[in-house]
Structure formats: structure tokens, C-alpha cells
Amino acid sequence: MGICISVASSEIHQAEDCQENIDSNGILRFGSLYSKQGSKGLNQDAAIFYQDYGMESGAFCGVFDGHGKNGHIVSNMVRNRLPTLLLNQKNVLANTKTTADDKNSQWKEACISAFKVMDKEIKLQENLDCSTSGSTGVVVVRQGEDLVIANLGDSRAILGTATENGIKAVQLTTDLKPGLPSEAERIRSCNGRIWDVLNNNQVASIVMEAESEQAAARAVVEAATASWKRKFPSSKVDDCTVVCLFLQNQKEQHHI
């Protein structure tokens, strides 16, 4: 049981499935979450910061960028359902595997399985046409000293580390963007475009310099929005959503 904050509704939930039992006293202890609607219409982003996920001091962080006519519905479905699917898959595997060496492979298998089940559940919705709608998904799970990363699409996870020479940013996921030849061809065939407004080091620096853990996500979103307007003044600003997970107290931090 943990505290779960969903950005689309700004509600704080305390339930295993993150969908009910609203608790207005929930507080994010080691991170922040912020989403800002762009100028294209309805905010199709959804995000989650689930505290005590799977274990005390565990966490589930996720950002889901919907696209297409029903993208907002898809991204919200994924946000509400994926945390439970993933943990259920992991628990099933933990009960069937026999050695401790299987922990990493269990999480990998659980992530792949949960994403596939989530995709099937969306397609089986009777009143939802998702033929031209969908969502990206980037997930970071903290379990003790371990981080589990999973992604599909071009939402990104970054690890920021404080060093003697400043902030070092390490990209933890691979964007399905034009840098990959097969993805570049797919995007071109669909007349698509890709927007990058802040690089990894800029994001890590903004987070590290934020007034507090709670202010970090909003600081990144506001900086990204301002950068978009400068770089692409004739284009409508996209929705922007950020989740920040601090692995240490900000005053003592080495990793974000």
C-alpha cells in the first residue's frame, strides 16, 4: 500500500490499483511531478508517482504521452493500470523462480509481459477506437538500491549525478526517434516531426538547482516550454510532463 499521485486529475490516491480512495494528506517524500497543457488542445499526457510501490521506500514513476484522437484516454488507462499489472507479473515470477540470481531477469520479463498485457487490454476496449491512437510509456521503478527502467516510444529517463566537475547526465532509455534508421523511415513515411527543446545536461542541471524536490519537476516543464517558444515560435507548444525521483535527499544528493 502506498501513496499514488496522478497528474491528470491532481488527485492523491492510497490504493494498490491507484484508482480510488482519495487521500488529501498524501505527500511526495522524495520527488515531484508536474504536467502542463500545451496549445494544441486537450492535455494528452498522463503521469504517476507511486510511493512505497512494492516495498517501503519503493517507487513507481511513469510518464505516458498520448497521441491520436483518443490518446488522452489511452495514456490515462496506462497510468491507472500498468503499475498493478507490472507488480502482479513480478510477484507471479518471484513465486515460480527458484534462485536469487533470477531477480533481474524477473523484472525484465515482468516489464515485457505487463506492456504486452496492457496493449491487449486497450485493444479489447469495446467503446474505444485506438486504431490511430496510442501512448508512449517510460517507467522507472525503485526497489531498494535497484532501479528498473522500461520504455516504449520517445519519452525519456535520465539519471543526473553530481560530480566535482558539475552535473553529469546519463540517458537511461533509447528514444524511438530518427536517430534509429528504422524509426526514421517510419516517421518520414508518416510525415512526422520530432521536437527536442532541452538536452539531458540542461534537464539535470535544472533539477539540481531547483529550490526543492517538490519544485524540480515544474522547473523543468517551465524551462522546456520557454525553450520551445524560442526555438519554434511559429509552432504550437506541445504538452509537457516531468516526474523527478530523488535517490538521495537534495541537500546530500549525488543522484536524481
Side-chain angles (χ1 to χ4, degrees):
M1 186 73 71
I3 295 171
C4 169
I5 295 182
S6 60
V7 71
S9 61
S10 299
E11 295 173 343
I12 300 176
H13 310 272
Q14 190 152 354
E16 289 185 354
D17 61 3
C18 300
Q19 297 183 63
E20 53 188 19
N21 299 332
I22 298 172
D23 178 3
S24 60
N25 295 319
I27 299 174
L28 284 176
R29 297 192 303 273
F30 39 74
S32 56
L33 179 158
Y34 190 75
S35 183
K36 186 173 185 178
Q37 180 177 324
S39 55
K40 298 180 179 180
L42 185 68
N43 188 347
Q44 292 193 308
D45 288 356
I48 184 172
F49 193 125
Y50 190 163
Q51 295 185 158
D52 295 333
Y53 178 79
M55 63 182 298
E56 186 176 356
S57 297
F60 179 104
C61 303
V63 173
F64 311 101
D65 180 3
H67 52 268
K69 179 181 178 180
N70 294 315
H72 59 294
I73 299 176
V74 175
S75 62
N76 276 273
M77 286 181 60
V78 177
R79 178 204 63 204
N80 291 338
R81 180 72 173 131
L82 187 61
T84 301
L85 278 177
L86 177 56
L87 199 56
N88 287 346
Q89 295 290 334
K90 173 61 173 61
N91 289 338
V92 169
L93 291 169
N95 291 330
T96 57
K97 302 292 184 178
T98 57
T99 67
D101 294 336
D102 289 320
K103 183 172 65 172
N104 291 338
S105 63
Q106 287 174 20
W107 275 111
K108 180 178 180 179
E109 188 174 342
C111 287
I112 294 173
S113 178
F115 272 61
K116 288 182 176 180
V117 171
M118 187 73 253
D119 187 58
K120 290 181 180 179
E121 289 190 1
I122 292 171
K123 292 177 180 178
L124 290 174
Q125 298 297 310
E126 293 183 357
N127 299 319
L128 175 63
D129 178 9
C130 59
S131 58
T132 58
S133 300
S135 176
T136 69
V138 60
V139 170
V140 176
V141 177
R142 180 181 184 179
Q143 298 289 280
E145 296 298 315
D146 297 327
L147 287 179
V148 179
I149 317 294
N151 83 299
L152 185 64
D154 60 0
S155 296
R156 182 182 301 180
I158 301 169
L159 175 68
T161 302
T163 70
E164 294 180 355
N165 299 320
I167 304 301
K168 179 181 179 181
V170 178
Q171 186 169 327
L172 302 178
T173 54
T174 300
D175 297 347
L176 297 179
K177 286 186 174 183
L180 297 177
S182 59
E183 187 65 8
E185 178 59 31
R186 187 190 70 81
I187 293 173
R188 281 194 294 268
S189 68
C190 298
N191 297 317
R193 295 177 294 178
I194 297 295
W195 310 101
D196 274 328
V197 294
L198 294 177
N199 62 42
N200 295 342
N201 287 322
Q202 288 174 318
V203 171
S205 295
I206 292 168
V207 172
M208 197 69 75
E209 295 169 3
E211 295 180 357
S212 65
E213 288 93 337
Q214 291 72 30
R218 180 166 186 165
V220 175
V221 169
E222 297 294 356
T225 301
S227 179
W228 183 299
K229 292 178 179 178
R230 289 194 303 270
K231 291 184 175 181
F232 311 109
S234 62
S235 299
K236 292 183 178 180
V237 179
D238 201 358
D239 307 324
C240 186
T241 301
V242 173
V243 177
C244 295
L245 170 65
F246 286 79
L247 305 183
Q248 294 178 331
N249 182 279
Q250 192 177 26
K251 295 180 180 179
E252 304 172 350
Q253 70 192 7
H254 296 287
H255 303 287
I256 53 175

